[in-house]
Amino acid sequence: MAKADRRRWVVATCVALVVAAIGDAGPEIVESRSLFAGYDGPGPLIYLGVAAMVAAVRWRFMPLLAVVTGILFLVGGFSDAAFVGRLGTPTEPVHFCAGWLQMAGFAATVAFGVAAVWWHGSVPAGTAHPDERQDTEMEGPRR
């Protein structure tokens, strides 16, 4: 896998964290009709901060920060009885959809983050193009 493919997985990881932040902050923003008045905690800011760090730092293992964040918030969400009850009963459609959007965002964050780290696309030294041989006996593409 090339570096461009790995970068796509990193971007997908960051987008999934933004989706989780929208799912977390969405109901409060809809109810208060204001971006700042419905603030209920630092969760969405944490997700956006982690997404910004993963996008800005070009280290191979940086997406693991997003993976750990996703796992921690998945476990935290599913261990809260009130949140699980909200996921199981769609009495309030906005809270129901936002809860599932948030959990889907975290699950996608974990999957995409692992993919970004696992399939890093290392190319052996001396081979600029995998379909071309780099020895002195043959020039041009492989037949």
Side-chain angles (χ1 to χ4, degrees):
M1 183 167 89
K3 283 187 179 185
D5 292 336
R6 180 188 178 280
R7 201 70 199 150
R8 286 186 191 123
W9 286 115
V10 171
V11 169
T13 303
C14 295
V15 168
L17 278 172
V18 170
V19 167
I22 292 169
D24 190 1
E28 291 82 15
I29 292 172
V30 168
E31 288 174 1
S32 68
R33 295 186 184 356
S34 172
L35 187 61
F36 298 107
Y39 180 75
D40 72 334
L45 297 176
I46 293 171
Y47 319 148
L48 295 175
V50 170
M53 286 177 54
V54 170
V57 178
R58 290 175 124 13
W59 181 45
R60 176 181 168 204
F61 296 106
M62 197 62 186
L64 290 181
L65 177 65
V67 170
V68 169
T69 302
I71 289 172
L72 287 175
F73 281 101
L74 274 172
V75 169
F78 285 126
S79 66
D80 182 17
F83 184 77
V84 172
R86 191 170 73 186
L87 290 177
T89 55
T91 55
E92 297 178 25
V94 172
H95 288 282
F96 177 75
C97 292
W100 279 108
L101 184 67
Q102 183 181 5
M103 292 297 113
F106 287 137
T109 297
V110 171
F112 296 152
V114 168
V117 172
W118 189 267
W119 294 294
H120 58 88
S122 62
V123 178
T127 56
H129 302 285
D131 57 334
E132 294 181 9
R133 290 191 65 164
Q134 299 292 324
D135 58 342
T136 57
E137 297 176 355
M138 184 175 141
E139 293 183 18
R142 214 183 273 181
R143 296 186 181 140

